[in-house]
Amino acid sequence: MAASKLVFVLVVMVVASFQFQSTVAQTRHVVADAFGWNIPSAADTYTTWASGQTFTVGDSLFFNFTTRFHDVTEVSQAAYGPCTIASPINSVTTGPATVNLRTPGNHYYICSVGAHCRSGQKLTINVAAAGTAGTPPPSTSSPAPAGSMMPPPSPPPPAGNASPSFTAVVPATFLAAALAFFY
């Protein structure tokens, strides 16, 4: 009986440690927070937002936009500057969209609808390998032309834009271990 209790406690602790590791390693970044994925009025909107973030493999980007008004297209560095969409790496046309960051290095995202990219709707990020910190590279976006049309604003992002926190996982882990031990 005591041996089975000990095995049960160890299994609970192993499962809890995996849960803790995945919670710490994954962050859901809401691109530009409440502004969302729209044509910015300032050319540095997305650069400024990205400079306050740390992106790591396993994280995700949440692009909040309205379908048919915007999309998210990942492009190469060569295509990013001139806003070329001839050979996209990936494209998501249904909003809102979540993009999982699976590889380290620089990643380049643009809106391929109309002249949105040339109007500053573009994002470059540097994704660090798991366990290291990333720094976003400088942006090469150009200012929005005068008189550019703005589509209707996207709905606000859903509440809770991050994974469960350390403070939510640890008490649950200890509670599970205590229940298993005294069971």
Side-chain angles (χ1 to χ4, degrees), residues 42-48 50-51 80-81 108-109 117 120-125 136-143:
D44 65 347
T45 298
Y46 294 107
T47 303
T48 301
S51 69
Y80 179 80
Y108 305 90
Y109 302 96
C117 177
Q121 192 174 357
K122 56 200 285 186
L123 170 69
T124 179
I125 62 170
S139 172
T140 58
S141 58
S142 55

Side-chain angles (χ1 to χ4, degrees), residues 28 30 62 64 96 155-161:
R28 181 176 178 251
V30 178
F62 179 78
N64 192 15
N161 61 355

Side-chain angles (χ1 to χ4, degrees), residues 155-166:
N161 61 355
S163 299
S165 69
F166 175 78

Side-chain angles (χ1 to χ4, degrees), residues 39-43 83 115-121 142-145 148:
I39 301 172
S41 58
C83 296
H116 294 189
C117 177
R118 287 185 294 281
S119 298
Q121 192 174 357
S142 55
S148 64

